[in-house]
Amino acid sequence: MSDPALNILNDTFGYPSFRGFQQDVIAEVVAGRDALVLMPTGGGKSLCYQIPALIRGGTAVVVSPLIALMEDQINSLRELGIRADCLHSGMSPEDRQQVERELLMGDLDLLYVAPERLLTESMLRLLDQMQVALFAIDEAHCVSQWGHDFRPEYLQLHHLQERFPAVPRIALTATADKRTRQEIRARLGLQSARVFIDSFNRPNIFYRISQKKQGKQQLLKFLEKEHPEDSGIVYCLSRKKVEQTAEWLSQAGRKAIPYHAGLPPEQRKANQHRFIAEEGIIVVATIAFGMGIDKPDVRFVAHLDLPKSIEAYYQETGRGGRDGLPATAWMVYGLQDVVLLRQMQARSIASQQVQQVERQKLEAMLSLCEVTGCRRQVLLNYFDEPLDKPCGYCDLCLEPAEVWDGTEAAQKALSCIYRSGQSFGVAHLVDVLQGKQNDKVRRFGHDRLSTFGIGNELDQNGWRSVFRQLVARGYVNVDVDGHGALKLNDSCRSILKGNERIELRRDRYEPSTKYQKEYKEVGRVVVEEHDQQLWETLRQWRRSHAEEQSVPAYVIMNDKTLMELIKHRPTTHLELSRISGIGQHKLEKYGDDLLAVLGTVDVEIN
Ligand code: ADP
Ligand code: ZN
């Protein structure tokens, strides 16, 4: 007997086969049992509740924290012929009543609601009167008080279990952390739910981290060389830097818009919409941006500042390449980032215990930056998913890090910190090592130190690199109250005494020319020369339909589907239906049109 879930996947969504655990999760929920689903961003969580919603009787209620994104989710579903709607505070009373009527008539497959609305008395009464197929709790990590996405309203969601014991609940998140996982189970009353943990590997994302020299310039170079026309996200730490960078990119001729929590709500909403709807657009943002954004064609995620943890880095970079096509995760970082984050932590008013956890998370992030082996191995290891071989698809796999015996340099650097009294920052320490006769050096009499001028073997950047690595590896502390003075700690003693040797990596600001060619070919979607014209025609076709219906282009068809059309050049409706992403509804709606655009229509007539 054929599997109804598979039929829906093929016919409605137009996909040939399930990914990872999707089929098992769907079976669990269809059978009326609870589930907790952990999958990386872009892994395909939505299908895990959308397909059961279509199989089980009644309407599935989806709790989603982001009202601004509900419309987009609904548009995508409607384009597949699925009956979906939403209820939120931004709607007019008439629109709300209309949706309520549809619900009572059983005319909706899915209903999206914000958590605060779901638990209002009127909503609960409505739910009592209708048939609820299931509850899906999206972005379930919002229930975690430790995370930066905490939403107090999520804490109320455990009431669902008491009030609707017979309705299955499925919670979904891309946050893998064990602590968060336990919190979700406890707070949502999902102790007996089956837990599905998918692989966190995102094989189509190319990871790349370089040292920061002039961050913005490096970014621009990267964009010009590798993503001249693509959409992407640039993350910065501060609002000011977000605005400056967006402005700067615009002046450099890119379509770039800012996003941070300090912008007026209307502008935030408008910019979010532009990012979702337009092609070739860059959003420069703080971490406030990104949750729930499912734009599939984000081709790069760039970090101009260091994220606070691997979780944050992974979630942010995971927003690239949701369509499965190549995407680049690019980052530059330097000592200044480390100092800044340590200072922020020191100013934190959180409990000792939380600070301790935050420190450990930052250490893990730093070791990802300073590693000499495969980045993906470090990342997946962090999520308890060891990868036994180097991935072959990250910067260090392509171009191994060069290491050198830095013992002597480290000794010089450490003793310079010690002799100058452990109250100076890197810039001054480097001046002393290099024997610079400037005011500050003379004022403190540092030209008389035994470490004055002993460091001519390295240039300024070379010394900065030594200090950074000593800090990143925890041999040296940064004084977080003052101006980033470096201080020794116990662990550096063995180096100073010559009992321990230390290997340092040579910094890299850009890929070497030797590897330029290979770099060029990774993390990029490449359309062959002879297909360029058809690619443009298809995009133009997609754009005109998108504009006509006021939906983002990818809602009509995503890049991956267009690429498949180019590759297979279908000539009949049957062949079209085999293209990934073309289901029944799209086939009926666009089939003839597409065959004409592809210029293959004649073949069919013959
Ligand atoms: P997330 O886990 O981040 O919520 P989505 O549910 O948005 O991920 O899925 C990411 C993309 O992958 C979407 O474009 C979705 O349509 C697509 N997708 C999901 N499952 C499959 C599948 N089995 N085959 C092909 N594409 C899929
Ligand atoms: Zn690798």
Side-chain angles (χ1 to χ4, degrees):
M1 215 186 74
S2 69
D3 172 9
L6 187 61
N7 289 344
I8 293 176
L9 182 77
N10 298 155
D11 298 345
T12 304
F13 291 89
Y15 297 139
S17 54
F18 284 110
R19 275 192 201 152
F21 287 113
Q22 281 175 332
Q23 197 161 18
D24 300 335
V25 178
I26 291 167
E28 191 78 2
V29 179
V30 167
R33 290 186 291 268
D34 298 340
L36 171 58
V37 176
L38 300 117
M39 266 190 200
T41 317
K45 285 185 284 299
S46 328
L47 285 188
C48 296
Y49 60 84
Q50 286 165 351
I51 291 183
L54 298 175
I55 297 178
R56 285 178 63 88
T59 305
V61 176
V62 185
V63 183
S64 167
L66 298 146
I67 294 173
L69 299 171
M70 285 181 187
E71 301 285 342
D72 294 299
Q73 287 165 325
I74 288 163
N75 280 334
S76 296
L77 289 169
R78 288 186 181 158
E79 192 60 19
L80 298 170
I82 297 172
R83 301 168 304 170
D85 221 317
C86 59
L87 281 175
H88 60 70
S89 48
M91 293 164 71
S92 70
E94 295 77 42
D95 286 349
R96 270 209 300 268
Q97 278 161 15
Q98 169 65 21
V99 174
E100 286 173 12
R101 264 197 302 276
E102 285 173 346
L103 279 173
L104 292 173
M105 302 281 290
D107 282 347
L108 287 181
D109 301 311
L110 288 114
L111 174 77
Y112 285 76
V113 280
E116 58 275 17
R117 170 153 293 270
L118 182 64
L119 294 149
T120 56
E121 233 355 89
S122 62
M123 185 72 211
L124 289 171
R125 267 201 306 277
L126 184 65
L127 293 176
D128 282 335
Q129 292 169 56
M130 57 183 260
Q131 193 185 354
V132 183
L134 58 99
F135 288 108
I137 302 166
D138 206 4
E139 312 287 358
H141 63 282
C142 289
V143 80
S144 159
Q145 275 166 316
W146 301 103
H148 59 245
D149 292 331
F150 176 54
R151 298 287 176 114
E153 313 86 65
Y154 264 66
L155 293 174
Q156 305 300 319
L157 291 173
H158 70 268
H159 291 308
L160 290 177
Q161 180 190 22
E162 297 142 27
R163 183 127 179 180
F164 305 96
V167 179
R169 290 168 306 139
I170 168 173
L172 311 103
T173 177
T175 300
D177 194 63
K178 268 203 197 105
R179 182 199 317 272
T180 315
R181 205 182 301 165
Q182 278 156 7
E183 238 184 312
I184 294 174
R185 292 184 69 145
R187 289 177 195 270
L188 293 179
L190 286 169
Q191 280 89 349
S192 56
R194 207 169 137 195
V195 183
F196 296 87
I197 305 175
D198 207 347
S199 164
F200 269 69
N201 193 11
R202 294 288 311 279
N204 58 321
I205 297 184
F206 184 86
Y207 298 97
R208 189 162 144 195
I209 303 175
S210 320
Q211 264 63 54
K212 193 189 286 185
K213 205 148 76 180
Q214 287 171 307
K216 282 194 296 195
Q217 293 290 351
Q218 286 170 286
L219 174 69
L220 192 61
K221 225 171 182 176
F222 159 70
L223 294 180
E224 277 170 355
K225 269 198 191 138
E226 297 173 39
H227 297 281
E229 291 172 356
D230 293 332
S231 288
I233 308 174
V234 177
Y235 282 107
C236 303
L237 210 55
S238 72
R239 296 173 181 184
K240 194 166 139 215
K241 187 158 168 188
V242 161
E243 288 183 9
Q244 287 171 345
T245 308
E247 175 66 33
W248 189 79
L249 283 174
S250 303
Q251 275 167 10
R254 296 297 292 242
K255 186 159 72 172
I257 51 174
Y259 187 100
H260 59 70
L263 293 174
E266 308 76 56
Q267 198 191 342
R268 234 161 49 209
K269 198 170 160 197
N271 285 3
Q272 190 170 51
H273 268 286
R274 276 194 66 190
F275 180 68
I276 291 170
E278 294 178 22
E279 295 170 272
I281 186 163
I282 299 173
V283 66
V284 185
T286 57
I287 52 164
F289 180 82
M291 186 172 53
I293 296 279
D294 50 11
K295 187 177 172 74
D297 55 355
V298 174
R299 297 269 72 88
F300 66 88
V301 176
H303 282 92
L304 277 178
D305 295 308
L306 191 68
K308 286 180 198 162
S309 65
I310 288 187
E311 281 101 333
Y313 172 76
Y314 208 62
Q315 211 163 52
E316 285 152 15
T317 54
R319 291 175 184 136
R322 278 176 178 243
D323 51 13
L325 297 173
T328 322
W330 179 96
M331 179 163 86
V332 285
Y333 99 108
L335 179 59
Q336 215 39 47
D337 290 285
V338 186
V339 173
L340 200 68
L341 284 181
R342 292 244 164 102
Q343 280 173 338
M344 278 168 64
Q345 280 181 356
R347 282 198 294 269
S348 153
I349 48 162
S351 68
Q352 285 290 323
Q353 194 200 354
V354 173
Q355 288 195 26
Q356 171 78 14
V357 172
E358 286 175 350
R359 255 196 307 277
Q360 284 163 359
K361 291 188 174 201
L362 178 58
E363 297 319 319
M365 185 65 219
L366 289 174
S367 54
L368 172 70
C369 295
E370 299 288 353
V371 71
T372 50
C374 169
R375 304 252 191 230
R376 198 178 309 267
Q377 280 184 316
V378 177
L379 285 169
L380 291 176
N381 216 354
Y382 186 78
F383 295 118
D384 293 324
E385 192 187 322
L387 190 68
D388 51 4
K389 280 200 309 275
C391 75
Y393 197 63
C394 71
D395 56 350
L396 293 174
C397 277
L398 234 58
E399 185 172 20
E402 270 177 65
V403 291
W404 56 290
D405 184 341
T407 312
E408 202 178 313
Q411 283 169 340
K412 288 180 182 177
L414 293 169
S415 73
C416 194
I417 295 173
Y418 179 70
R419 296 199 183 279
S420 56
Q422 311 198 53
S423 31
F424 294 88
V426 173
H428 182 73
L429 293 166
V430 173
D431 283 348
V432 173
L433 282 167
Q434 294 198 310
K436 295 239 169 78
Q437 285 281 3
N438 60 28
D439 282 352
K440 192 168 173 186
V441 168
R442 276 196 296 270
R443 183 150 30 99
F444 289 100
H446 287 170
D447 46 354
R448 295 193 301 274
L449 290 180
S450 59
T451 51
F452 183 76
I454 59 168
N456 290 321
E457 69 272 36
L458 294 175
D459 64 8
Q460 207 175 1
N461 282 326
W463 281 114
R464 291 186 68 86
S465 163
V466 172
F467 282 109
R468 189 197 72 245
Q469 295 184 62
L470 289 171
V471 172
R473 294 206 213 164
Y475 289 111
V476 169
N477 296 341
V478 181
D479 177 10
V480 286
D481 301 327
H483 302 285
L486 300 189
K487 293 188 185 315
L488 303 186
N489 69 30
D490 282 350
S491 61
C492 73
R493 213 173 280 165
S494 56
I495 298 183
L496 269 174
K497 281 192 187 149
N499 295 337
E500 185 186 334
R501 302 203 73 77
I502 176 170
E503 271 200 338
L504 297 176
R505 46 177 294 172
R506 225 175 275 291
D507 282 355
R508 195 176 286 149
Y509 302 97
E510 277 178 60
S512 70
T513 39
K514 183 175 156 217
Y515 284 90
Q516 288 285 7
K517 197 179 149 297
E518 273 157 84
Y519 267 113
K520 252 190 170 156
E521 281 159 19
V522 298
R524 278 187 75 174
V525 176
V526 185
V527 179
E528 301 286 339
E529 195 75 28
H530 55 269
D531 290 330
Q532 270 300 338
Q533 205 180 342
L534 183 55
W535 171 246
E536 282 310 321
T537 311
L538 282 169
R539 288 188 356 143
Q540 188 53 48
W541 170 85
R542 172 174 74 174
R543 212 172 291 138
S544 68
H545 280 281
E547 278 165 17
E548 200 181 290
Q549 301 173 41
S550 314
V551 296
Y554 71 79
V555 167
I556 306 294
M557 232 156 253
N558 71 20
D559 285 356
K560 189 155 190 200
T561 304
L562 297 193
M563 298 282 252
E564 281 206 22
L565 287 171
I566 291 176
K567 188 167 154 213
H568 298 293
R569 311 250 169 152
T571 60
T572 61
H573 275 229
L574 182 64
E575 284 174 17
L576 265 179
S577 73
R578 295 197 186 114
I579 300 290
S580 173
I582 300 188
Q584 259 162 14
H585 196 252
K586 289 191 183 175
L587 187 65
E588 279 161 30
K589 196 162 168 188
Y590 303 120
D592 292 339
D593 214 16
L594 264 181
L595 292 179
V597 172
L598 287 166
T600 50
V601 71
D602 288 345
V603 186
E604 191 190 25
I605 291 166
N606 284 340

